[in-house]
């Protein structure tokens, strides 16, 4: 088993070397793709846009992203996947010959296990939701025409182009092996497809949101404590990241497994708070919620406010405080985008209507 994995890892290292040597001029593009594929952009950019254009799609984006990333965490804890940037430094596979030299970047030194790729899984799930949503809205149940077939082909071609770019980016920066990004894409699509058959997410009560959040956290924490009691350290990758990353400042606490877990659970809980708030009911569910100017105003205001909000970085010196503030910050994102901002926009528009009269 180990010998087979060593061969697979070596093939991945060779792929990374090939990309770095032959596509060095595309370095900025690959770094941008890895940045753009981060789930943070789903929450801060894609969610407010989709939520105010088609509420159901925005809600599904959150569920697919959060549950997908939670499953990704569990898979990583089970599979114990290596990452190229530390495996190539530690392995005895190359014997007396020198190990291949691969370059590191500011986005390389993630601290969690490598399999499956979280970026690939998240990107596949999120874009699968968007593509299927556009096709459902544009085509419906009518008999497909040639234009419809062209639209379907173009959208799926774009979907796969994005996934290929994300996979190549993660391999280029030595954050993942090829088999890990492939597993991530397949897993992400499976999660998104599963949520096509779970309509209950669109009218879930606050109690169920709270229960789901507590269950996901309790399961992950319980699984961690159980394996730790059995002598398995699920944070074994953190030491490797600190040891083998070329620059200490590239190792970020927000890439640790529990940081991602609390960040995502905060998003889910915040969505439950927003959808069950009086602000949401009075704005998005009122008459004004059906008007395009109101929706576009909410999108513009949300993108501006959330961009400013994202600039706030919780202090990292005290880990517990960092985790608590990360949860609270994430919970505030959907509360602002789906509750507070629409309510404020509705109040402003109502005042303008009164003045016009």
């Amino acid at each position: 088993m180990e010998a087979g994995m060593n061969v697979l890892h070596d093939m991945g290292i060779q792929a990374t070397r090939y990309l770095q040597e032959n596509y060095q001029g595309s370095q900025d593009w690959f770094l941008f793709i890895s940045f753009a594929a981060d789930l943070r952009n789903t929450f801060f950019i894609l969610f407010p846009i989709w939520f105010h254009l088609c509420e159901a799609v925005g809600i599904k984006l959150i569920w697919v992203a959060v549950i997908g990333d939670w499953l990704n965490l569990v898979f990583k804890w089970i599979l114990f996947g290596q990452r190229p940037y530390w495996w190539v430094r530690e392995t005895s596979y190359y014997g007396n010959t020198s190990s291949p030299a691969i370059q590191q970047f500011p986005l390389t030194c993630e601290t969690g296990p490598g399999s499956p790729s979280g970026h690939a899984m998240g990107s596949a799930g999120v874009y699968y939701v968007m593509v299927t949503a556009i096709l459902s809205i544009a085509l419906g149940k009518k008999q497909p025409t040639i234009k419809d077939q062209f639209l379907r082909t173009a959208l799926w071609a774009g979907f796969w182009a994005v996934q290929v770019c994300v996979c190549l980016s993660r391999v280029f920066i030595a954050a993942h092996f090829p088999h890990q990004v492939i597993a991530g894409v397949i897993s992400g699509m499976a999660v998104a497809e599963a949520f096509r058959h779970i309509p209950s997410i669109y009218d879930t009560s606050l109690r169920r949101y709270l229960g789901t959040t507590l269950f996901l956290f309790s399961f992950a924490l319980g699984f961690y404590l159980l394996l730790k009691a059995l002598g398995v350290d699920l944070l074994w990758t953190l030491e490797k990241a600190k040891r083998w990353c070329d620059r200490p400042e590239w190792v970020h606490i927000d890439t640790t497994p529990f940081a991602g877990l609390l960040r995502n659970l905060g998003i889910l809980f915040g969505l439950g708070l927003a959808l069950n708030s009086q602000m949401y009911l009075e704005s998005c569910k009122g008459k004004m919620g059906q008007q395009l100017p109101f929706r576009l105003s909410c999108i513009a205001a949300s993108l501006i406010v959330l961009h400013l909000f994202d600039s706030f970085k919780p202090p990292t010196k005290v880990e517990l405080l960092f985790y608590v503030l990360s949860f609270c910050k994430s919970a505030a994102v959907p509360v602002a985008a789906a509750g507070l901002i629409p309510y404020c926009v509705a109040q402003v528009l109502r005042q303008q209507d009164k003045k016009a009269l």
Side-chain angles (χ1 to χ4, degrees):
M1 181 67 178
E2 183 179 355
M5 289 304 299
N6 282 337
V7 173
L8 190 61
H9 288 149
D10 176 58
M11 292 172 61
I13 294 296
Q14 299 307 322
T16 296
R17 285 190 64 194
Y18 175 82
L19 290 174
Q20 290 184 354
E21 291 175 357
N22 293 277
Y23 295 92
Q24 192 64 36
S26 302
Q27 173 182 322
D28 291 341
W29 169 250
F30 284 129
L31 290 174
F32 169 76
I33 291 296
S34 274
F35 167 78
D38 193 290
L39 280 182
R40 181 182 285 105
N41 294 306
T42 297
F43 302 140
F44 282 83
I45 299 176
L46 297 179
F47 167 69
I49 293 174
W50 273 105
F51 183 82
H52 292 294
L53 290 179
C54 183
E55 185 177 299
V57 180
I59 294 173
K60 186 190 289 187
L61 278 177
I62 293 294
W63 277 93
V64 169
V66 170
I67 300 301
D69 209 48
W70 181 84
L71 287 172
N72 181 264
L73 172 64
V74 174
F75 288 155
K76 283 180 174 178
W77 278 351
I78 294 174
L79 297 176
F80 283 79
Q82 303 283 338
R83 287 188 185 268
Y85 77 92
W86 74 57
W87 179 85
V88 74
R89 302 280 186 88
E90 290 187 338
T91 183
S92 58
Y93 176 76
Y94 299 103
N96 295 327
T97 61
S98 59
S99 301
I102 58 174
Q103 188 177 355
Q104 294 183 16
F105 304 90
L107 299 179
T108 297
C109 303
E110 297 200 9
T111 59
S115 187
S117 165
H119 279 71
M121 189 170 178
S123 173
V126 166
Y127 279 85
Y128 190 94
V129 169
M130 293 193 292
V131 168
T132 53
I134 294 173
L135 289 175
S136 178
I137 295 171
L139 306 184
K141 296 182 179 180
K142 65 179 181 179
Q143 194 69 23
T145 63
I146 295 178
K147 290 183 178 180
D148 295 336
Q149 293 292 352
F150 176 79
L151 176 63
R152 186 187 303 273
T153 301
L155 286 175
W156 283 116
F159 169 84
W160 285 110
V162 170
Q163 305 319 310
V164 169
C165 287
V166 172
C167 291
L168 290 177
S169 168
R170 303 305 288 168
V171 174
F172 176 87
I173 67 174
H176 287 290
F177 293 100
H179 69 278
Q180 295 173 343
V181 293
I182 293 172
V185 170
I186 295 173
S187 302
M189 292 176 63
V191 172
E193 179 60 28
F195 271 95
R196 294 183 67 183
H197 308 286
I198 308 178
S200 60
I201 61 174
Y202 304 116
D203 56 358
T204 301
S205 65
L206 178 58
R207 178 178 295 182
R208 183 166 295 182
Y209 270 102
L210 177 59
T212 303
T213 302
L214 290 175
F215 169 77
L216 295 176
F217 177 75
S218 299
F219 184 95
L221 180 61
F223 188 53
Y224 168 78
L225 294 176
L226 173 63
L227 291 184
K228 187 174 182 179
L230 296 174
V232 179
D233 181 15
L234 292 179
L235 300 182
W236 59 279
T237 57
L238 185 57
E239 182 275 331
K240 291 183 181 292
K242 293 179 177 178
R243 181 179 181 186
W244 296 115
C245 189
D246 286 346
R247 300 178 64 175
E249 63 268 25
W250 290 351
V251 179
H252 301 290
I253 188 175
D254 61 355
T255 66
T256 59
F258 277 108
L261 173 67
L262 290 171
R263 184 169 56 244
N264 293 331
L265 294 185
I267 290 286
L268 185 64
F269 180 63
L271 179 64
L273 287 176
L275 297 182
N276 291 276
S277 68
Q278 193 63 32
M279 294 185 296
Y280 163 77
L281 295 175
E282 291 183 9
S283 54
C284 297
K285 285 302 182 182
K287 292 183 179 180
M288 191 169 292
Q290 306 300 318
Q291 301 174 9
L292 184 60
F294 168 78
R295 295 185 178 188
L296 295 179
S297 298
C298 288
I299 292 174
S302 296
L303 292 177
I304 294 172
V305 171
L306 292 183
H307 175 71
L308 296 174
F309 187 58
D310 191 33
S311 63
F312 165 71
K313 305 298 181 184
T316 60
K317 291 184 178 180
V318 181
E319 286 194 30
L320 180 59
L321 178 62
F322 171 81
Y323 291 142
V324 172
L325 291 178
S326 293
F327 179 89
C328 295
K329 175 184 175 180
S330 296
V333 171
V335 169
L340 181 60
I341 292 174
Y343 179 79
C344 293
V345 170
Q347 295 301 315
V348 171
L349 293 179
R350 288 192 184 106
Q351 291 296 326
Q352 291 180 348
D353 290 342
K354 290 180 180 180
K355 290 180 179 180
L357 295 175

